[in-house]
Amino acid sequence: MADISSINVDELSDEQIRELLNRANEAGLTEDELIQMARLRGLSAPQAEKLQERIEKLNLNGSSGRSSSSSASKREPRKQGDLNEITQGIFKFQQDPTLKSEPSQIFGADLFYNKNRRLTFEPNLNLATPKTYILGAGDMIYVDIYGQSEKYYEATINPDGFAIIDNVGPISLSGKSIEEATGILKSRLSRYYQGLSGSNPNTFIQVTLGNVRTIKINLVGELRLPGTFTLSAFSSVFNALYAAGGPSENGTMRNIKLIRNGKLVQTIDIYDFLINGNANLNQQLQDQDVILVEPFEGRVTVEGEVKRPKIYEVKNGESFGQLLKYAGGFTDEAFQDRINVTRVSGKERAVSDIFKDQFSIFTVKGGDVYKVGKVLNRYSNRVQIKGAVFREGNYALTDGLTLKKLIENADGVRGEAYLERASILRTSADLSTEVISVNLREILEGSSPDIPLQREDVIRISSIYDLKEEVYVQITGEVSKPGTYPFSKQMTVEDLIIMAGGLREAANTKDIEISRRISEPEAGTFSVLVPVSVEIDFSQNGSTEILEPFDNVIIRRKPNFTLEKMVFIEGQVNSPGAFAVQSAKERVSDVIKRAGGLTAFAYAKGATLIRRTEYYNTESEQLRRQKNLIDLQEKLQYDPNHTEAQEMLLERLFKSLGNKDEVAKSAGESTAASEVKKETISGIVESKADISPIKIKEMEAVAIDLEKILNNPGSEFDLILEEGDIISIPRQLQTVRMRGDVVYPTTVRYDNLGGLKYYINRAGGFDNRANRKRTYVVYANGEVARTKSFLGIRAYPRIEPGAEIFVPTKGPRMPMRPGEIVGLTTGLATLVLIVTQINN
């Protein structure tokens, strides 16, 4: 709970004051009640006066206090709001630097003083007026006259102890209880209301408490925050202790004294509240009461297996049984028969034992350290059985328990139990162990004597599968689910194929091979190969070969089996689109013919063949099959009119295509050859510093001469088609494009009379750094022609429609260093000298 004793009202803005009052009104508090509650919570009197002045200056609507009107309808009951919620975000509280975040080891020390205090002992302002409440200066009382006569009075007891009643006069009520005050007021008011007196009254009186006064309480001794505190007159000793932060590390919690007018009124034992829940809140404080917290008398430490291992304060004459109650009793694993205690005795310490029958008579003493041990981690009557029985685990060692009876208690041995040999691990008194081997079959049959068991015996019955290697069979190749499968006796190849989901379309049923391990291999021999064949319908007419453990069934592909291959023609043909390749010898001219030939606008010289490289990520046959099945599944799924056969087909598809992650995974498959080539190229590039990085392409253009292909079908120009080929035939082209080191790279109209220089001139000519002799031309079909030189004469390549002319640059000019200049001039001088000598 927030501590507002250090709040400075001057630091609050007007907006914060308004927000504070709005929250108080929503909580049912008037302005006077808000200030009163703040004072009860520790706000100093000067700060409370400043807060009152700030509120009055704001001129807010609403009453600042109760009216003295005699109308009973204007009376309001005492209210209580949550000051924490009202002041949240407005008052800035400072954390006490002395407050410990870790809980104290002293029992009860965190009750009044904790980082997150939640138990505040705030008095309830809504409770009915206690008849024993003692009135004093500052208390407001409400007097109700009802019955034949009706009247309402409201009065505040002044510092002289009198309550001024309108038209009645002062009445001395200070120091009187509510019950006594009611009698006094009835006696005085009966003069004015005759119906109040007599044996049969018809008018009645009720006295209740209005605003509660504040009182000052002095807290001295071993407290965290000793001093004088302003509290509500409803406050108890616990309220006052909370305000002072509770007893300090040296303060007592068992003998707190309440002193009034120099006399001891009450002794408070906080343990009575913590253990029994008895707070004795009926004893209310009075003005100028003194609460004295003396130093503790004695403390003991309880360690080990108790529910609250802490430091406890003890009184003279308390027994260990009472101390054990403070500690919450033993835990479930505590050793309760004997408790060890270390006690200060004269000049040294002594160790004693407390036995269970002495708990109530052993007197505790300050400085004692009690250690409650744990039960031993051992069993007094345990035997264990493990292995091939139906109910493994721990069993009680009863009189006359034998091995055979224990197995019966475990519901017998399982079918795979190895009965020829079982073991008993026996522990001797010196904790050494020995193994006793027995023939379990003979004991169970009664041909061998039964074995009596001892404490901590561990019986282990092995399974026949524990004593040999786990066996399996494998299947690889053209099946739906290749992999490893459990071995069973009399299993055939057909059985294994069915377990693997059946054969794929490409499976060759006449060329199946079993790779079988050799039990005693000879040098250079690894396995035995057993050829078998099966029927496509898995009938009994196939192989009768029985599989053996660790067999690997290899199912190969049919010869020349392949899925359909597709090629594509786009552009200027009469029927462009996709075409299935009919045979392994189908050529470009064949598929052009199937497409209806070229259109009148086709430019044959610009035709290009786009072909996949070996690095193309080709779909596997399994992936393609699964994609087709998924497509079928989606069409059936959204068709509302299913036949019974279609329903069953859809169910099978959902079962076989359940794991779509495997479909996505198989999309990334690539051939081992392409991976090796990629790694080889990468290794060459890394080893050669002068080679630029090479970009691996999945598709590339192949230059073809479609005119020669169509004029000479089946010739060397007519290429054989491959899967995924794309033949692109453009319309008639009429432009030539210039690229590279020309003055103005551009695209110009094709002129059949113009040569390369003609088009270079149309682009502004060669640039200064142009490498003229390396100029080359790329034709529309992807073919490249370069400039040739002979005896200084350059022969430029021809130009055709759709061609692109590339003029490379000579690269940056490197400045000549002084050393190179000296070397060049020296070499020239030497050459001149040699020539001169030859002439001479």
Side-chain angles (χ1 to χ4, degrees):
M1 301 293 288
D3 181 9
I4 64 173
S5 60
S6 60
I7 295 299
N8 187 356
V9 177
D10 293 334
E11 296 178 354
L12 300 178
S13 65
D14 290 345
E15 289 299 324
Q16 289 175 315
I17 297 292
R18 289 192 183 94
E19 178 64 22
L20 187 66
L21 290 176
N22 290 336
R23 295 182 185 178
N25 290 334
E26 292 175 358
L29 296 177
T30 65
E31 298 165 10
D32 290 343
E33 289 171 335
L34 173 65
I35 295 174
Q36 182 187 20
M37 181 174 286
R39 293 189 64 181
L40 293 177
R41 290 291 304 278
L43 187 67
S44 63
Q47 294 297 325
E49 292 176 1
K50 287 183 180 180
L51 183 59
Q52 180 69 47
E53 293 174 0
R54 293 284 301 276
I55 292 174
E56 292 175 354
K57 288 181 181 179
L58 290 177
N59 255 342
L60 296 178
N61 295 330
S63 175
S64 61
R66 281 193 173 86
S67 171
S68 60
S69 170
S70 61
S71 173
S73 62
K74 294 184 179 180
R75 291 178 50 192
E76 297 177 0
R78 297 185 301 274
K79 297 181 177 65
Q80 179 178 6
D82 189 340
L83 194 63
N84 275 356
E85 294 182 1
I86 295 173
T87 60
Q88 185 177 8
I90 299 177
F91 289 174
K92 306 298 182 184
F93 303 107
Q94 296 180 353
Q95 181 67 41
D96 189 346
T98 64
L99 195 60
K100 296 180 180 179
S101 59
E102 297 182 358
S104 174
Q105 290 300 312
I106 300 175
F107 178 65
D110 298 328
L111 179 63
F112 302 103
Y113 198 71
N114 194 294
K115 183 178 181 180
N116 299 311
R117 291 192 285 184
R118 293 286 181 251
L119 193 61
T120 66
F121 304 100
E122 286 285 336
N124 184 7
L125 301 181
N126 284 328
L127 55 82
T129 304
K131 294 185 180 299
T132 58
Y133 179 79
I134 305 299
L135 295 173
D139 280 338
M140 177 180 286
I141 59 172
Y142 303 140
V143 182
D144 267 322
I145 305 295
Y146 62 95
Q148 185 175 4
S149 301
E150 292 187 358
K151 185 67 174 177
Y152 163 69
Y153 295 99
E154 187 176 290
T156 302
I157 300 176
N158 60 28
D160 295 329
F162 291 94
I164 309 298
I165 305 296
D166 293 343
N167 300 322
V168 176
I171 301 175
S172 178
L173 296 178
S174 180
K176 304 296 190 294
S177 67
I178 290 291
E179 188 174 14
E180 293 171 341
T182 301
I184 295 172
L185 288 169
K186 181 178 180 181
S187 176
R188 287 288 300 271
L189 292 174
S190 62
R191 303 175 186 176
Y192 306 96
Y193 303 97
Q194 299 297 327
L196 285 172
S197 58
S199 59
N200 190 20
N202 55 18
T203 303
F204 307 95
I205 185 172
Q206 182 180 22
V207 180
T208 57
L209 192 63
N211 284 343
V212 183
R213 74 181 189 277
T214 58
I215 57 176
K216 292 187 179 295
I217 305 298
N218 303 301
L219 288 99
V220 295
E222 299 297 330
L223 292 153
R224 295 184 185 274
L225 300 170
T228 301
F229 292 84
T230 301
L231 303 174
S232 164
F234 279 172
S235 299
S236 66
V237 174
F238 282 87
N239 303 129
L241 289 173
Y242 170 78
S248 65
E249 294 284 337
N250 292 326
T252 180
M253 300 188 73
R254 308 292 309 276
N255 192 27
I256 298 174
K257 297 178 180 178
L258 173 61
I259 300 173
R260 183 174 298 157
N261 298 325
K263 296 181 179 179
L264 179 63
V265 177
Q266 184 182 12
T267 301
I268 296 93
D269 186 350
I270 296 178
Y271 277 22
D272 192 24
F273 171 68
L274 294 174
I275 303 301
N276 303 317
N278 182 15
N280 195 16
L281 299 178
N282 294 328
Q283 180 65 46
Q284 294 178 345
L285 298 176
Q286 296 185 16
D287 192 44
Q288 298 303 321
D289 277 353
V290 176
I291 296 176
L292 175 62
V293 180
E294 298 178 340
F296 69 89
E297 184 175 347
R299 285 177 179 164
V300 300
T301 303
V302 182
E303 301 174 349
E305 296 302 315
V306 291
K307 295 174 182 176
R308 286 193 293 260
K310 284 182 174 290
I311 299 172
Y312 295 88
E313 184 178 350
V314 293
K315 293 182 178 180
N316 285 334
E318 285 190 319
S319 66
F320 177 76
Q322 293 172 301
L323 176 63
L324 188 61
K325 183 179 179 182
Y326 299 153
F330 293 113
T331 64
D332 295 336
E333 295 189 356
F335 177 62
Q336 305 179 20
D337 293 342
R338 181 177 55 83
I339 308 301
N340 179 268
V341 56
T342 303
R343 172 166 290 181
V344 177
S345 177
K347 298 185 295 182
E348 56 189 6
R349 298 181 184 273
V351 178
S352 300
D353 291 329
I354 311 173
F355 295 96
K356 196 169 186 177
D357 56 352
Q358 299 175 338
F359 287 175
S360 60
I361 60 175
F362 186 88
T363 304
V364 297
K365 180 182 177 183
D368 286 355
V369 178
Y370 296 88
K371 295 183 179 180
V372 180
K374 225 175 186 180
V375 295
L376 297 177
N377 190 19
R378 65 193 299 267
Y379 296 86
S380 59
N381 63 337
R382 179 184 68 169
V383 291
Q384 301 179 62
I385 186 168
K386 300 178 180 180
V389 292
F390 285 102
R391 297 187 185 277
E392 297 180 87
N394 300 332
Y395 288 84
L397 178 63
T398 57
D399 292 339
L401 183 66
T402 62
L403 176 59
K404 187 175 181 179
K405 290 182 180 179
L406 178 61
I407 292 175
E408 291 175 356
N409 294 340
D411 287 348
V413 294
R414 296 201 300 262
E416 80 279 11
Y418 182 65
L419 303 179
E420 306 303 324
R421 190 181 187 89
S423 63
I424 302 175
L425 180 65
R426 178 158 292 174
T427 304
S428 304
D430 59 356
L431 300 184
S432 62
T433 59
E434 65 172 329
V435 176
I436 303 173
S437 298
V438 297
N439 189 318
L440 189 58
R441 185 185 302 277
E442 294 179 354
I443 292 177
L444 294 178
E445 292 175 351
S447 57
S448 292
D450 204 354
I451 298 178
L453 298 179
Q454 298 181 11
R455 188 181 71 85
E456 287 301 294
D457 277 355
V458 180
I459 294 87
R460 183 177 298 277
I461 302 173
S462 299
S463 167
I464 58 174
Y465 301 110
D466 295 336
L467 305 177
K468 64 179 181 179
E469 184 181 2
E470 196 66 47
V471 294
Y472 56 85
V473 289
Q474 293 177 283
I475 185 169
T476 56
E478 299 300 320
V479 290
S480 297
K481 299 175 182 178
T484 305
Y485 291 88
F487 170 78
S488 299
K489 295 179 180 179
Q490 302 301 315
M491 175 185 283
T492 64
V493 175
E494 289 87 346
D495 297 328
L496 182 57
I497 292 174
I498 292 173
M499 292 177 65
L503 297 170
R504 292 180 183 172
E505 182 184 359
N508 187 351
T509 59
K510 303 303 179 184
D511 188 14
I512 299 176
E513 199 170 63
I514 301 175
S515 176
R516 179 166 295 166
R517 291 186 185 180
I518 301 176
S519 57
E520 296 180 1
E522 299 177 357
T525 303
F526 304 106
S527 62
V528 173
L529 301 180
V530 181
V532 295
S533 63
V534 297
E535 296 296 328
I536 194 67
D537 57 356
F538 304 122
S539 65
Q540 300 294 333
N541 298 327
S543 173
T544 58
E545 182 69 26
I546 303 300
L547 295 179
E548 296 183 5
F550 310 111
D551 277 359
N552 185 4
V553 179
I554 304 168
I555 301 179
R556 299 190 180 89
R557 177 185 291 261
K558 292 177 183 178
N560 301 321
F561 176 85
T562 182
L563 295 179
E564 68 274 9
K565 292 184 177 181
M566 302 297 294
V567 296
F568 304 88
I569 301 181
E570 59 183 22
Q572 298 303 309
V573 291
N574 288 308
S575 299
F579 292 84
V581 179
Q582 291 180 329
S583 67
K585 296 182 179 180
E586 190 159 15
R587 299 176 181 269
V588 175
S589 60
D590 298 327
V591 76
I592 292 290
K593 183 179 179 181
R594 291 168 59 190
L598 304 181
T599 66
F601 306 100
Y603 180 53
K605 287 188 176 182
T608 304
L609 174 63
I610 302 172
R611 175 162 289 178
R612 299 173 181 176
T613 68
E614 63 270 31
Y615 308 113
Y616 184 82
N617 191 9
T618 306
E619 287 183 347
S620 66
E621 293 178 8
Q622 177 69 3
L623 174 62
R624 189 181 301 183
R625 173 183 174 274
Q626 287 178 316
K627 283 187 174 181
N628 293 336
L629 292 178
I630 290 173
D631 184 54
L632 174 60
Q633 177 190 27
E634 291 176 352
K635 286 182 173 56
L636 288 174
Q637 188 175 357
Y638 295 106
D639 183 5
N641 302 315
H642 288 163
T643 65
E644 183 179 358
Q646 289 175 334
E647 288 285 354
M648 296 183 65
L649 173 59
L650 189 61
E651 183 178 348
R652 293 196 302 271
L653 290 174
F654 271 111
K655 185 177 180 180
S656 62
L657 299 174
N659 189 2
K660 294 186 178 180
D661 292 339
E662 294 296 327
V663 179
K665 182 179 177 181
S666 62
E669 295 178 355
S670 58
T671 62
S674 64
E675 291 297 328
V676 170
K677 286 185 179 181
K678 285 182 182 180
E679 293 179 2
T680 303
I681 293 173
S682 299
I684 294 173
V685 172
E686 291 175 0
S687 63
K688 303 292 184 180
D690 56 343
I691 298 180
S692 301
I694 298 175
K695 184 178 180 181
I696 303 296
K697 296 181 179 180
E698 293 191 355
M699 300 186 74
E700 61 185 6
V702 179
I704 60 173
D705 192 336
L706 189 56
E707 287 184 341
K708 292 183 178 179
I709 290 174
L710 297 178
N711 293 332
N712 300 287
S715 64
E716 60 181 359
F717 303 103
D718 196 1
L719 299 180
I720 296 175
L721 294 175
E722 295 183 6
E723 166 74 15
D725 279 353
I726 302 173
I727 302 172
S728 178
I729 304 172
R731 292 174 63 90
Q732 184 68 39
L733 302 175
Q734 296 178 335
T735 58
V736 177
R737 181 179 297 171
M738 273 70 70
R739 300 292 188 199
D741 213 357
V742 293
V743 174
Y744 184 73
T746 185
T747 301
V748 299
R749 182 179 60 82
Y750 172 73
D751 189 343
N752 58 352
L753 299 178
L756 185 139
K757 282 191 174 182
Y758 166 79
Y759 293 102
I760 293 294
N761 291 333
R762 298 292 296 274
F766 290 108
D767 204 356
N768 293 332
R769 299 294 298 164
N771 193 345
R772 303 185 182 190
K773 64 181 180 179
R774 297 182 65 85
T775 301
Y776 61 94
V777 177
V778 179
Y779 297 103
N781 65 348
E783 189 175 352
V784 180
R786 64 181 182 86
T787 302
K788 299 179 181 179
S789 298
F790 182 73
L791 298 177
I793 300 174
R794 294 191 183 94
Y796 294 107
R798 71 187 187 283
I799 304 300
E800 293 181 355
E804 293 190 29
I805 302 172
F806 288 87
V807 181
T809 184
K810 292 181 178 179
R813 179 179 296 171
M814 300 298 293
M816 189 171 290
R817 291 175 292 186
E820 295 175 348
I821 296 174
V822 171
L824 180 60
T825 53
T826 303
L828 290 175
T830 303
L831 180 60
V832 171
L833 180 60
I834 293 172
V835 172
T836 303
Q837 291 294 333
I838 292 173
N839 291 336
N840 292 335

